[in-house]
């Protein structure tokens, strides 16, 4: 498949609203992406974009009682501290393990950007 435009929505919980606004702006400018790549909170934005065809429908859903109940119904789990994993490793194992995790994160980020670059330039 050939894609002209791809957009990457990362995680970040409540940032999904910002991603919906970004997508609406791209649509308004006639730059609607052909491909959405998303993780975590970005996946919520991508799901809402795919479920509702227009920006007005998406806004209506976000203001609905159904979305309110869905959003408020989430609770933290035992894994809620995973975002602090790097700090736990630093305290317990030392700086070398933290650097390893950081390097692995950079490799993942580089791989994602490499994929987007290749899709954009059709390499």
């Amino acid at each position: 498949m050939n894609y002209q435009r791809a957009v990457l929505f990362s995680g970040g919980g409540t940032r999904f609203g910002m991603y919906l606004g970004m997508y609406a702006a791209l649509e308004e400018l006639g730059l609607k992406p052909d491909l959405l790549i998303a993780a975590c909170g970005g996946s919520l934005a991508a799901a809402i974009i795919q479920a509702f065809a227009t920006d007005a429908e998406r806004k209506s859903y976000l203001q609905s009682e159904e979305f309110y109940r869905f959003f408020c119904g989430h609770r933290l789990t035992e894994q809620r501290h995973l975002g602090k994993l790097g700090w736990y490793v630093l305290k317990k194992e030392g700086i070398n393990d933290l650097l390893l995790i950081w390097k692995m994160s950079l490799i993942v980020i580089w791989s994602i950007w490499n994929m987007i670059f290749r899709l954009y330039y059709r390499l």
Side-chain angles (χ1 to χ4, degrees):
M1 283 192 150
N2 293 328
Y3 298 106
Q4 297 295 315
R5 291 179 196 86
V7 173
L8 172 66
F9 295 153
S10 66
T14 57
R15 275 191 248 162
F16 76 90
M18 179 180 70
Y19 298 137
L20 291 171
M22 289 168 47
Y23 187 86
L26 290 171
E27 264 187 325
E28 190 176 306
L29 294 170
L31 301 172
K32 181 178 172 181
D34 303 315
L35 177 67
L36 292 176
I37 303 168
C40 289
S43 297
L44 179 59
I48 292 171
I49 289 166
Q50 293 302 312
F52 302 99
T54 66
D55 186 46
E57 290 174 352
R58 289 188 285 270
K59 285 180 181 177
S60 177
Y61 174 68
L62 291 174
Q63 295 171 351
S64 71
E65 185 174 340
E66 177 185 2
F67 179 74
Y68 176 79
R69 288 181 188 272
F70 165 76
F71 195 77
C72 291
H74 288 82
R75 300 289 177 249
L76 293 176
T77 66
E78 293 177 11
Q79 291 78 26
R80 66 185 174 272
H81 298 294
L82 287 178
K84 298 177 184 176
L85 181 62
W87 294 116
Y88 291 139
V89 170
L90 179 60
K91 287 179 182 178
K92 186 174 181 180
E93 302 296 333
I95 191 73
N96 289 333
D97 290 336
L98 181 62
L99 290 174
L100 178 63
I101 291 172
W102 182 71
K103 286 178 186 177
M104 290 171 57
S105 299
L106 287 179
I107 290 169
V108 170
I109 292 168
W110 180 85
S111 299
I112 291 170
W113 280 112
N114 187 31
M115 181 180 65
I116 292 170
F117 179 81
R118 288 177 179 276
L119 287 171
Y120 184 76
Y121 290 105
R122 298 182 204 152
L123 298 176

